[in-house]
Amino acid sequence: MLKQHRELSMSVRRTIENNEEAGIRPSKTYQSFAAAAGGHRELNFIEKDVRNYITREVRNISEQEDAKEFRKYLLRMKEKNQNFFFELELKEDQSIKLAFWADARSRAAFEYFGDVISSDTTHNINRYNLVCGSFVEVNHHGQSTLLGCSLMKNEEIESFKWLFQCWLRCMGGNTPKGILTDQCVMRELLRGLEICG
C-alpha cells in the first residue's frame, strides 16, 4: 500500500463523484468499496485517497462551475435592472475570491436611511470556505434593511479594502456617518480609507 502503488480507477472515480453529489460521506463511500471487494485489504487504495480525490478534483470542479453560475446569475440580475450593482473577482482557478452585490432597492434605501450602517462578516459558508458578509441599516420604522452582501475567501486587510471600495462605488461615493463592526481590522481600515463621514 505504498503511495506510488495506490490508484483510483475510472469506475471508482465515477462512483466517488456520484456519491459526493448525492451527499454520501467519504467514509461510507470507502466502506461500500471495501464491502464489494471483500474487505479493505482487497482494495488498491485507502480511505484517504477517496478524501483527497474529493477535495482535489470533485469539489474544485464544483466550485469553479458554481462560480460560473453565480456570475451568470449576477449578470441576469443586472439585465433585469440596470441599478443592480455587483463586482466579482475570481482566483486563478476560476473560483470565487471576492464578490459584492446590492440590488436597486438597497441602493435607494441607503440614500434615505444610510446615516449609520452595520457591517458583519461573521458567517462562514462551509462548503467553499467563504466568508459571507452583509451591510445592514435601520430604517425610520426601526426595521433592519439589507443594503448589500459579500463573499470573501479570507478576512485579510486587502479583502476588506476591496470590499469597502466596492461599497463606495456602489453607493456613488456617498459615505455613511458611521459604520458599526465587530472587527478591529475593519475599524482601522475604515479610518485609513476615510469611509465614514
Side-chain angles (χ1 to χ4, degrees), residues 108-183:
F110 176 72
E111 287 183 35
Y112 292 112
F113 311 110
D115 292 340
V116 177
I117 64 169
S118 171
S119 177
D120 182 18
T121 58
T122 57
H123 309 287
N124 193 333
I125 300 174
N126 293 333
R127 181 171 181 171
Y128 300 124
N129 197 28
L130 291 169
V131 178
C132 181
S134 61
F135 290 90
V136 178
E137 69 177 354
V138 176
N139 66 18
H140 63 291
H141 296 294
Q143 301 166 327
S144 295
T145 305
L146 184 65
L147 297 176
C149 295
S150 66
L151 294 173
M152 299 187 304
K153 200 65 174 171
N154 58 53
E155 293 185 273
E156 295 174 1
I157 290 175
E158 286 303 311
S159 297
F160 284 118
K161 184 176 179 181
W162 181 91
L163 177 61
F164 284 107
Q165 288 172 339
C166 284
W167 167 262
L168 283 175
R169 283 189 294 278
C170 176
M171 299 307 171
N174 298 326
T175 60
K177 292 180 181 153
I179 296 180
L180 304 173
T181 180
D182 65 344
Q183 301 262 348

Side-chain angles (χ1 to χ4, degrees), residues 51-97:
R51 291 182 185 281
N52 287 343
Y53 180 73
I54 290 170
T55 302
R56 189 177 60 249
E57 301 295 332
V58 178
R59 289 192 181 154
N60 191 32
I61 291 168
S62 176
E63 190 173 347
Q64 292 167 354
E65 289 300 315
D66 286 351
K68 287 179 189 174
E69 289 301 314
F70 181 61
R71 185 174 189 280
K72 287 179 187 175
Y73 171 77
L74 294 173
L75 288 169
R76 281 194 311 269
M77 295 300 291
K78 181 75 174 174
E79 286 174 11
K80 287 182 181 178
N81 188 329
Q82 288 301 309
N83 286 328
F84 181 84
F85 180 93
F86 79 92
E87 289 195 19
L88 181 63
E89 190 173 306
L90 302 177
K91 295 188 339 184
E92 290 178 10
D93 66 357
Q94 298 303 303
S95 61
I96 296 172
K97 180 179 179 183

Side-chain angles (χ1 to χ4, degrees), residues 24 31 48 106 142 178-179 195:
I24 298 171
Q31 289 171 7
K48 184 177 181 179
S106 298
I179 296 180
I195 288 183

Side-chain angles (χ1 to χ4, degrees), residues 10-70:
M10 287 303 289
S11 64
V12 167
R13 291 177 187 198
R14 207 168 297 118
T15 302
I16 292 170
E17 291 167 8
N18 291 337
N19 287 359
E20 176 66 13
E21 191 173 322
I24 298 171
R25 294 190 320 243
S27 60
K28 293 289 184 188
T29 297
Y30 179 74
Q31 289 171 7
S32 71
F33 286 128
H40 63 42
R41 293 175 189 226
E42 303 301 318
L43 296 173
N44 60 346
F45 58 91
I46 59 176
E47 185 176 337
K48 184 177 181 179
D49 296 327
V50 173
R51 291 182 185 281
N52 287 343
Y53 180 73
I54 290 170
T55 302
R56 189 177 60 249
E57 301 295 332
V58 178
R59 289 192 181 154
N60 191 32
I61 291 168
S62 176
E63 190 173 347
Q64 292 167 354
E65 289 300 315
D66 286 351
K68 287 179 189 174
E69 289 301 314
F70 181 61

